[in-house]
Amino acid sequence: GTNPAGHLFTVVADPGTGQPTFRQPIQGGPATAIQYDPLGRVLEATTDGTQPVKERQLACAGLPPELPPCSGPEKMARAVFQAGAPTRVEYLDALGRVVRSVGEGLDGFFVVQAEVAFNERGIKVSQYGPHRLGAEARYETRYGGLDALGRVGRREVERNAGMLASGQGAATLVTDY
């Protein structure tokens, strides 16, 4: 095929599933080969000149011990591995929503990059910023005053302890809409 800029590109798909097994976005450029498991999930993607990227999706009960365990509403974990790059793990709830993302730090310990909580209607009611796995001190944003359409009426943000020590501002920043 030809892209909008007039460059030739190549995509080869598996005739049985329709999923791409080979991509080359520009003629003569780097090519990517993709392998899938029997359920159609990506197992490995290898681009010319780079280390292969391996992906795994596992039930929480089957997580290997080197990965952080599931907690709370998490049912599945999706992990991405690549030589020379930190391991990344996304934890999913029963509906397939990402409720926590974890990445390996340079020191080898895992850091929670984002965490989200939903109410019984499936509306986001709080989220947490980055923090070391297992640490209690986290920045939290809570959403409240939700109307029938799920629109936020109030947002509360717990603030940085360093700002409080300097005497600047309240412990919680509140925004009413």
Side-chain angles (χ1 to χ4, degrees), residues 27-143:
Q27 183 179 13
T32 302
I34 306 163
Q35 296 175 0
Y36 300 91
D37 71 2
L39 297 176
R41 298 176 298 201
V42 175
L43 283 177
E44 184 174 328
T46 307
T47 301
D48 294 342
T50 67
Q51 295 289 333
V53 177
K54 298 181 185 290
E55 297 183 28
R56 297 292 180 268
Q57 187 162 331
L58 302 163
C60 284
L63 282 180
E66 62 269 13
L67 294 179
C70 294
S71 63
E74 299 158 0
K75 303 295 183 205
M76 298 284 291
R78 185 171 44 220
V80 178
F81 306 94
Q82 184 178 20
T87 299
R88 298 183 319 269
V89 185
E90 290 180 334
Y91 295 89
L92 299 94
D93 65 6
L95 298 176
R97 298 175 296 197
V98 175
V99 293
R100 184 169 57 135
S101 312
V102 177
E104 188 176 18
L106 295 174
D107 58 0
F109 292 103
F110 282 92
V111 175
V112 176
Q113 296 164 338
E115 195 168 352
V116 178
F118 298 94
N119 68 9
E120 62 280 351
R121 290 177 44 206
I123 297 170
K124 180 169 53 171
V125 292
S126 68
Q127 63 186 30
Y128 302 93
H131 60 280
R132 184 174 281 258
L133 191 64
E136 291 187 34
R138 314 190 260 188
Y139 307 110
E140 179 183 14
T141 302
R142 291 181 298 276
Y143 303 100

Side-chain angles (χ1 to χ4, degrees), residues 139 158-171 173:
Y139 307 110
E158 285 185 17
R159 296 187 63 190
N160 178 322
M163 291 175 71
L164 296 175
S166 66
Q168 299 174 356
L173 176 65

